[in-house]
Amino acid sequence: MIDTHCHIDFEDFDDDREEVIKRAEDKLDNVIVSGFSNDSNMKVLQLSKDYEGFIYPTFGFHPVSSQNATEDEIKIAHENIAKHLDEIVAIGEVGMDYFYVTDKALRERQEEIFTGFLRLANEYKKPIVMHVRDCEKKAVNIVADYEDIPYFVFHCYGGSLKTAKRIKNMGNAYMSFSTMLCYSQQHQDLIKKIDLDYILTETDSPYLAMTKEDRNEPANVVNAVYKIAEIKNVDVETVDEVTTNNARKIFRI
């Protein structure tokens, strides 16, 4: 099993990060830690070096943060991606967030920055991990222009079934489902209709825990795998094998 998206570089884990990673090592094959900002990108890179062969990094800039970033900050993010291209497994998380951001100008700024990262992924032929909340349909329309990006990952997918079918038809796009599956009826309904061949598993730790009071962690991705198996009425081993192989193919790990 692989947690394809988490943030264990966050300060939420400062007191027990080593123990959290040990619990993940006991249950999982690998963990992918997604960069959130320029500082976060450097932290996830260091984690990948400290736990080489188990933790893998992606470099990104979260849309809600990027909309307020300076041109120099975005430039640094691009430069760091180029500098560490052989060390990261994807660009992300990057994208657009229409759930938290309703201002038209800020949404336009998010899209501008997002397309900049798309151009970079296209140039370097690197997979891209996308945070496109409440704008999944728009994102599908945007990414269609980038033919040299090998794989698109719709992180924590929560769009419509109709858009999910369009993503499937892209041929090189995947939808990642988190531990939210254990309690979200919307996500459970989606999983019923989406083939395993297009699914990845994640936690988005420290977010999306079983209760609002809890902190999520990578080892909990096991819960998502078991829930997928239950909903689809297939063996846990089958879900594990297919989703793990999907992740290995996309991220080359």
Side-chain angles (χ1 to χ4, degrees):
M1 298 180 192
I2 297 178
D3 182 355
T4 62
H5 193 109
C6 67
H7 303 285
I8 53 174
D9 59 302
F10 281 14
E11 62 182 15
D12 304 64
F13 297 100
D14 283 354
D15 292 338
D16 63 345
R17 184 173 290 105
E18 188 173 335
E19 290 85 352
V20 167
I21 294 172
K22 178 63 169 63
R23 287 194 289 272
E25 288 178 321
D26 288 343
K27 292 185 176 182
L28 309 181
D29 298 302
N30 298 105
V31 168
I32 296 173
V33 188
S34 292
F36 202 87
S37 64
N38 286 332
D39 287 343
S40 173
N41 290 340
M42 293 302 102
K43 290 178 181 177
V44 302
L45 181 64
Q46 187 59 52
L47 278 172
S48 72
K49 292 179 178 179
D50 292 342
Y51 296 88
E52 187 174 358
F54 181 67
I55 289 178
Y56 292 89
T58 72
F59 276 16
F61 215 129
H62 192 281
V64 178
S65 302
S66 71
Q67 68 188 19
N68 299 311
T70 65
E71 292 297 338
D72 282 345
E73 288 172 323
I74 299 301
K75 181 182 177 183
I76 289 169
H78 284 216
E79 289 173 346
N80 283 336
I81 287 170
K83 181 179 178 181
H84 299 284
L85 195 63
D86 293 336
E87 296 167 277
I88 63 175
V89 296
I91 294 173
E93 66 186 284
V94 294
M96 305 176 295
D97 191 310
Y98 284 10
F99 176 81
Y100 283 113
V101 180
T102 56
D103 181 81
K104 183 180 178 181
L106 288 177
R107 285 184 172 184
E108 288 175 353
R109 176 64 174 154
Q110 286 186 5
E111 183 176 345
E112 176 188 345
I113 293 169
F114 178 37
T115 55
F117 283 113
L118 285 166
R119 286 194 296 270
L120 209 60
N122 201 61
E123 177 184 351
Y124 294 132
K125 297 179 172 59
K126 207 75 175 176
I128 192 158
V129 177
M130 303 178 297
H131 174 117
V132 286
R133 190 173 184 186
D134 281 8
C135 53
E136 294 87 354
K137 179 181 177 181
K138 182 180 181 71
V140 172
N141 293 335
I142 291 172
V143 304
D145 292 334
Y146 299 90
E147 296 178 354
D148 288 332
I149 296 178
Y151 298 107
F152 299 90
V153 175
F154 288 75
H155 143 65
C156 203
Y157 184 74
S160 68
L161 180 60
K162 184 177 180 180
T163 300
K165 290 177 179 177
R166 289 185 63 199
I167 292 169
K168 171 186 171 182
N169 290 336
M170 288 171 64
N172 61 340
Y174 294 77
M175 290 157 278
S176 184
F177 287 85
S178 74
T179 39
M180 282 181 73
L181 270 173
C182 299
Y183 55 84
S184 167
Q185 189 62 51
Q186 177 197 2
H187 288 80
Q188 291 174 13
D189 291 342
L190 280 168
I191 278 290
K192 288 178 185 176
K193 303 290 179 63
I194 299 174
D195 295 341
L196 279 177
D197 289 341
Y198 303 95
I199 291 174
L200 299 173
T201 55
E202 65 165 284
T203 61
D204 202 20
S205 310
Y207 307 118
L208 310 183
M210 299 305 295
T211 70
K212 291 182 179 180
E213 293 76 24
D214 290 339
R215 177 196 66 178
N216 208 356
E217 64 175 75
N220 290 338
V221 82
V222 171
N223 297 332
V225 173
Y226 272 77
K227 194 65 178 180
I228 293 170
E230 175 190 324
I231 293 168
K232 287 188 165 296
N233 195 27
V234 297
D235 294 337
V236 170
E237 291 77 14
T238 299
V239 177
D240 179 11
E241 180 181 3
V242 175
T243 58
T244 297
N245 286 341
N246 289 344
R248 294 203 185 288
K249 178 175 68 174
I250 295 164
F251 300 111
R252 296 185 180 182
I253 57 176

